[in-house]
Structure formats: C-alpha cells, structure tokens
Amino acid sequence: MIYLDNAATTLPKPKEVAEAVTDAMNNCGNPARGSHDASLAGLRVMLRARMAIADLFHEPDPMNVAFTLNATAALNTAIGGIKGHIIMTAAEHNSVLRPVFRRGNYTVVPLDGKGRLDVGDIAAAMRPDTEAVVMCHASNLTGNVFDIEAVSGLCARKGVRFILDAAQTAGLIDIDMTKLRLSALCFSGHKSLYGPQGTGGICLGQGFRPEPLAVGGSGSESFSPTHPTVMPDALEAGTQNAHGIAGLLAGVEYIKNLGGKAFSVSDGHAGRFIKEMKGVEGVTLYGDVDAALRTPVVALNVRGRDSGDIAALLWDDYGIAVRAGAHCAPLMHKTLGTEKIGAVRFSFSHFNTDEEVDAAIAAVKELAK
C-alpha cells in the first residue's frame, strides 16, 4: 500500500508511539485517583504530555492544556465558551461549522477562487457584538495556510478572541500561542503529531475559561456539587485516556527530535507532485499551489470524473490510498465549484518515499489519458 491519506490520520506511526501505548497499558493505573505506583505512573504520563504540548505551542503554563478525544471536541468546547457574534471563514471544517451553525449569530467570510483569504474581509465583518474569530490555520482540502499573524493582530486591535483550529498544522508548522495571543488552540493527536486516534486537546490562553462539555468525576473537590473550575480538571471530566496520551507524548517527542524534518520532507514530496501535475491535460489542481508556505496536501480532479471513482481506481489498480469526496469542508467545495464531484486529496508524510511519489505521479498521468 502507498498511503497518501495523512491529512486524515498519519500512517504508519513511529514505533515509539506503539511502544509507549503498550507500556502504559501494562503499567499505568487511573491518573490522579490513587497514591499507589500505578496511579502515579498514569499521572506522570499526563503531566509529561501537558508539558510537551505546552512547550510545542509555546504555552507558558502546562496546566492550561486539557486533553480531549480529538480537535472536534476541543473546538466544541472553545466555541461553547463564546456568547457573542462569531466570525469564521469558508475554509472551515465541519468541526467548526456545525457547532457555530447550531448556536447561530455568525458571519462566514468568503474566499477567492483559489481558496485564499483576504484578512480585510474579516475586518469588514467585525461588529460591535463580535466576540471571536474562529478559523483553521490551514485548509484540510487545499493545503492553503492562512495568515494567522495578521488575523491575530486584527483581533488584538479590536479586542476580539482568536480561536485557532490547528488540526492540520500541529506538528508541521510552528505555532506560538503567546505571540499570537490565542484564546484557544485546538489540535488533533492522530494527524501530524503521530499519536493514536482518540487523542487531542485544547490549550487555553489567559482569561478564557469555557464551560466543559461534560462534568463528573475529576479526582479533586469530590464533595463539591459542581465541577472544579481549576485547569486542567475543569475540562477533563472522568477517567482520561492515559494509554492514548502516552502514545501522543511519544509522538510529540518524536516530532521534536526530527527538528523540522517532518515538514521539510513531506513538503518536498507535495511540491514535486504539484510540479508534475501542472500542465497534465485533464488534471485540475485546486488551491494556491504556488504559495511559498503550504501543508503537504494536494487536491485535484481528473477529467471531471467523480472523485470517488478516481480514488477507487487509484486503490484498486495501483494500491494508492487517498481521500475523495467532500472532506467535511462544504463551503470550500462551493468556493472551488466542486460540490458535485468532490476532490481527490493526496496528503504526504515524511514516511513516504520518492518512489511512492513517483508511483502516484505516474498513476494520475495514466488515469488522465
């Protein structure tokens, strides 16, 4: 199998991740629920993981890191803490769109035909009751990376909260919570942090404390009828996934040890793939493929065929695993004009080889004929 679906979930995982999960399953008890060695081992895993995540995102207080099932749960929590008007973009994943649609009182900022954002349009959408801008760092469909520094500056000048969906960039592109003055950063563990599925989290900035999605056991303040308000207990009801978080910790440490190689290698693969796809008759590329900074994601279609048909042919005839369809990004598809046929998404990893990239290039060219 040639696996090119890393924007959905990375595969393979580093061996260190599987080893850490196995070790935790054999040695970690319930974190913070006892004073015996097994419970303390689980607590140490959780604390080390908070410290590693805080360091990765330049968050000064590890206790502001709370773990969730995924970025979707983190975004639901953050968005639930906003009572006023929300601004988001047409690039958003359904993990942002649906929580915002459900609550109402929002504005969607449009993008141009290549899925690019004009920050001036966010400024124009500001209202007296605007409380937050909620947006992705990069599109999961096109690979476009947005100018979050400019958005951060705008939010700071207007006194508006900034909530960032970093599902596609955490582990690939450096994010400094302090410099960006983020109210919340939401991330997935199973993508470019190379952790297990069912892991993710939220990092809170100063002065932002959303209500938890669930309340219950916390291992602290047990006689209180209300859930603790001190982080991280405030957002972590019930027994935490210490086994999965042990794997996430190993993934974060693995990424840090690579020193930027994860991005540079995968970016090189995507760049070479784009270069070969340009000018191929019958192949349509989407997004700003000439941008200086992109995630290693390439979306295309072949001769107007349904994207699901092309993905099936790539798998059945070439053993190439990609993602097709709507990618949970309906407004981006409307922007690109692909809502009827979807798009075929190739997403590269540093584990991919040059030979695998060559095979993907040859397969698409052959299908285009």
Side-chain angles (χ1 to χ4, degrees):
M1 175 177 67
I2 298 175
Y3 187 81
L4 300 176
D5 194 19
N6 290 282
T9 194
T10 46
L11 190 72
K13 305 295 184 184
K15 63 180 179 59
E16 295 91 335
V17 172
E19 290 170 354
V21 173
T22 300
D23 182 72
M25 293 185 75
N26 288 328
N27 295 292
C28 289
N30 202 317
R33 303 300 200 272
S35 58
H36 51 79
D37 285 351
S39 179
L40 293 175
L43 181 61
R44 291 187 189 101
V45 163
M46 299 289 290
L47 180 57
R48 287 177 56 211
R50 290 189 216 284
M51 294 172 67
I53 292 292
D55 181 64
L56 181 70
F57 297 134
H58 307 277
E59 162 56 49
D61 186 356
M63 294 300 102
N64 283 336
V65 178
F67 292 107
T68 63
L69 283 172
N70 41 46
T72 298
L75 286 161
N76 271 266
T77 298
I79 291 166
I82 303 301
K83 306 306 178 186
H85 175 245
I86 287 178
I87 296 172
M88 57 184 177
T89 79
E92 305 314 317
H93 188 278
N94 274 335
S95 56
V96 169
L97 295 177
R98 285 173 173 165
V100 174
F101 289 159
R102 182 171 64 176
R103 68 181 293 284
N105 193 18
Y106 62 85
T107 297
V108 177
V109 172
L111 308 171
D112 71 9
K114 290 187 176 182
R116 295 175 297 197
L117 171 69
D118 184 339
V119 176
D121 289 339
I122 293 182
M126 293 280 185
R127 305 187 330 205
D129 64 333
T130 299
E131 186 176 345
V133 173
V134 183
M135 64 176 288
C136 57
H137 191 181
S139 166
N140 71 308
L141 175 56
T142 65
N144 289 0
V145 175
F146 300 108
D147 188 354
I148 58 172
E149 289 80 9
V151 176
S152 168
L154 172 63
C155 290
R157 291 192 298 273
K158 297 290 188 178
V160 169
R161 297 193 184 281
F162 187 17
I163 296 171
L164 186 67
D165 172 6
Q168 290 293 316
T169 54
L172 281 177
I173 298 173
D174 186 57
I175 305 171
D176 191 322
M177 278 199 64
T178 303
K179 288 184 178 179
L180 291 170
R181 298 175 286 259
L182 294 178
S183 293
L185 183 154
C186 303
F187 65 93
S188 292
H190 65 98
K191 299 181 189 288
S192 293
L193 292 176
Y194 288 93
Q197 295 174 3
T199 62
I202 182 170
C203 301
L204 295 182
Q206 296 300 316
F208 183 50
R209 293 295 181 268
E211 293 292 319
L213 292 181
V215 298
S218 60
S220 64
E221 301 183 33
S222 293
F223 285 95
S224 172
T226 59
H227 198 74
T229 57
V230 175
M231 287 288 290
D233 290 2
L235 299 182
E236 290 185 352
T239 297
Q240 294 304 297
N241 178 18
H243 304 150
I245 291 167
L248 174 59
L249 169 60
V252 172
E253 291 175 338
Y254 173 82
I255 287 296
K256 288 181 177 179
N257 289 335
L258 285 180
K261 182 181 176 182
F263 178 74
S264 62
V265 173
S266 56
D267 182 58
H269 290 330
R272 190 157 65 86
F273 183 79
I274 289 171
K275 182 179 179 181
E276 291 293 330
M277 289 298 100
K278 285 182 176 179
V280 176
E281 185 180 354
V283 172
T284 302
L285 292 168
Y286 300 103
D288 189 0
V289 296
D290 296 315
L293 178 63
R294 298 172 38 79
T295 58
V297 169
V298 184
L300 58 79
N301 277 316
V302 179
R303 295 197 178 278
R305 288 281 298 276
D306 185 87
S307 60
D309 293 343
I310 299 300
L313 289 169
L314 285 167
W315 176 247
D316 292 340
D317 295 348
Y318 303 94
I320 298 173
V322 296
R323 170 82 184 272
H327 308 273
C328 299
L331 301 186
M332 180 62 94
H333 279 285
K334 290 179 180 179
T335 297
L336 301 175
T338 55
E339 60 265 47
K340 291 184 178 180
I341 62 172
V344 184
R345 184 183 70 186
F346 295 75
S347 47
F348 299 88
S349 157
H350 74 284
F351 281 118
N352 291 125
T353 65
D354 290 340
E355 291 75 19
E356 289 176 331
V357 178
D358 289 338
I361 291 168
V364 176
K365 287 183 175 179
E366 190 169 298
L367 289 173
K369 292 181 181 180

